Amino acid sequence: MDRERTEDLLPGSDAYDPHWSASIFAIWNLIIRPPRHRYSRVELLQGFPSERFKVGEQIGSRRHFHIMNERGLPLACTVFEPIIPSTACASLAQEKACVVHCHGNGASRLSGFQLAHVLLPLGISVCCFDFSGSGMSGGDYVSL
């Protein structure tokens, strides 16, 4: 778009159309502030209804918790951890890896829950959270 055409979009120009401008603003707002992905407690527990579960031969646990971000808003989190038997070697029981899943624009922590099926059998934990303004976290808009 050339400079003359861009200036036509500004208020005060002869070609300025407030309806067209409002449409552009609405599209822009959807990109930078998508609607909150909402889900119910039932959906949250759907794939892993109990706090302990089995993925293949691996026993795992699920725990929900909240942390506060720098703006004082609560972020809803879920961590999936493999349960390492006490009979396993000491180094395996002490060494732990964790993948932190950061959901995409307009999504929520639920999008990372499927990673537990892949990573827990490998002895790797998965932590998923809702960004501010997403899912069950506080805030009015997404802060990716």
Side-chain angles (χ1 to χ4, degrees):
M1 188 177 268
D2 61 22
R3 184 174 171 82
E4 290 175 10
R5 182 72 182 129
T6 304
E7 289 174 354
D8 287 345
L9 302 177
L10 300 174
S13 69
D14 292 334
Y16 175 71
D17 180 357
H19 298 292
W20 191 80
S21 181
S23 298
I24 293 294
F25 179 75
I27 292 168
W28 176 252
N29 208 29
L30 279 173
I31 295 169
I32 65 168
R33 292 194 176 151
R36 178 186 294 263
H37 181 244
R38 297 185 185 277
Y39 54 89
S40 67
R41 182 140 176 88
V42 171
E43 291 171 294
L44 179 64
L45 302 176
Q46 193 169 20
F48 303 92
S50 63
E51 290 184 9
R52 288 188 177 239
F53 53 88
K54 200 168 187 181
V55 177
E57 295 299 313
Q58 178 64 55
I59 298 172
S61 69
R62 170 192 45 80
R63 183 172 52 95
H64 302 291
F65 61 97
H66 285 85
I67 59 173
M68 298 300 254
N69 70 7
E70 66 221 17
R71 294 182 295 158
L73 298 170
L75 301 181
C77 308
T78 301
V79 66
F80 298 95
E81 297 178 288
I83 297 175
I84 308 294
S86 58
T87 57
C89 73
S91 64
L92 182 61
Q94 289 179 2
E95 293 179 11
K96 294 184 179 181
C98 182
V99 170
V100 177
H101 172 75
C102 302
H103 65 76
N105 206 10
S108 70
R109 64 181 157 159
L110 298 183
S111 64
F113 282 18
Q114 295 305 313
L115 292 173
H117 293 286
V118 176
L119 298 174
L120 289 182
L122 300 173
I124 301 171
S125 299
V126 180
C127 184
C128 306
F129 69 97
D130 289 330
F131 278 101
S132 178
S134 296
M136 294 182 175
S137 286
D140 294 329
Y141 58 90
V142 179
S143 60
L144 295 179

